[in-house]
Amino acid sequence: MELEIAKIFIALLVLVNPLGAIPIFISLTPNANQLERKRIAKTTTLAVAVVLCLFAVVGETLLHFLGISIGSFQVGGGLLVMLIAIALMNAQPAPTKTTKEEQSEAEAKTNIAVVPLAIPLLTGPGTISTVIIYASTAHSWVQVVYLLISSLLVAVTCYGALVLASPISRLLGQTGINIVNRVMGMLLAAVSVEIIVDGLYRLFPQLSR
C-alpha cells in the first residue's frame, strides 16, 4: 500500500509542482500579510483537493460518456505530460500552466485562490489528465482509494509550500527552484513514457506478444 501511494503521490506532486508555483504566488500577493497568505493558501489547497478527488471519482465515467478509449486518452495524456516534463527540464513555464496574459489579469483580481492559483497553475490539464488515467486504469476500488489519499497528500503539500513561500524562495532562490524543477522534469518524463507505453499496449495488444 505504502509503495503504491508513494508512486502516485510523487507523480501527482511533480505535475502539480507547488515549488514552481511559489514565485507566481509571491508576485500575485505582494501586499498581503502572512495571515492573508494563509487564507489564500487554505482556499487554494481546498480547491486543489476538490479538483483532484472529483476527477479521481468521475474520471472513468467521463471517458465512457465522451466515447474515448482509455488507451487513446493515455497516449494523449502521456504526450501532454511529456511536454510539461520538457518545459521543467528547460526551466521554462509549462505550456499548460498560466500564460503571461492570465497572470497579468490575475494581478487585478482580489480573489486569486481558485483562479489562477488552483486552476490552472497547480491543477492544469496535465494533472487532471493523469488523475483520470490513474482512475480509469485502477483494477479495484482500493486503488481508487490510494489515488484519493495521494491527492489529499498533494493538496496538503501545496498548503505547506504556499504558507512557507517567502522562506523557501529566500532559501532556494530562482536557481535552486530551477534545479529542483529540472530533477522533477526527469521524473515526470519517466512517468509520461510509462503512461504512453501502457496506452499503446491497450491500443495495440499485439505489441505485448
Side-chain angles (χ1 to χ4, degrees):
M1 173 179 175
E2 290 82 0
L3 183 62
E4 188 71 20
I5 291 178
K7 178 182 177 181
I8 299 173
F9 170 74
I10 292 173
L12 293 182
L13 182 64
V14 172
L15 275 165
V16 172
N17 192 13
L19 194 63
I22 286 177
I24 298 177
F25 176 70
I26 293 175
S27 68
L28 292 177
T29 56
N31 301 317
N33 56 39
Q34 187 62 22
L35 186 61
E36 290 172 332
R37 284 186 173 178
K38 281 186 177 181
R39 178 182 57 79
I40 295 172
K42 187 180 297 184
T43 305
T44 302
T45 299
L46 179 61
V48 169
V50 169
V51 170
L52 294 180
C53 292
L54 176 64
F55 281 99
V57 173
V58 306
E60 186 175 6
T61 303
L62 181 63
L63 289 185
H64 286 313
F65 177 76
L66 296 175
I68 301 174
S69 69
I70 295 175
S72 298
F73 194 81
Q74 281 183 286
V75 173
L79 291 174
L80 179 59
V81 172
M82 178 62 77
L83 290 176
I84 297 174
I86 293 173
L88 285 175
M89 286 188 284
N90 290 321
Q92 298 291 327
T96 61
K97 299 293 185 178
T98 53
T99 62
K100 291 182 179 179
E101 292 77 13
E102 289 171 333
Q103 291 179 28
S104 298
E105 184 179 341
E107 291 174 359
K109 292 183 177 180
T110 56
N111 188 2
I112 59 170
V114 177
V115 179
L117 284 180
I119 307 168
L121 182 60
L122 293 172
T123 53
T127 307
I128 293 173
S129 298
T130 303
V131 170
I132 293 176
I133 289 170
Y134 277 130
S136 60
T137 56
H139 299 296
S140 65
W141 65 268
V142 176
Q143 292 185 331
V144 176
V145 171
Y146 292 167
L147 179 57
L148 292 174
I149 293 174
S150 301
S151 298
L152 293 176
L153 290 175
V154 168
V156 171
T157 305
C158 289
Y159 178 76
L162 295 181
V163 169
L164 300 174
S166 294
I168 293 175
S169 181
R170 288 194 297 267
L171 177 65
L172 295 179
Q174 189 59 52
T175 301
I177 291 176
N178 287 345
I179 291 173
V180 174
N181 281 343
R182 286 188 171 98
V183 174
M184 286 186 170
M186 294 176 63
L187 295 173
L188 195 56
V191 171
S192 68
V193 170
E194 188 176 69
I195 292 174
I196 292 171
V197 169
D198 191 53
L200 289 174
Y201 280 150
R202 288 177 181 272
L203 290 174
F204 308 103
Q206 62 270 24
L207 293 176
S208 60
R209 295 176 182 174

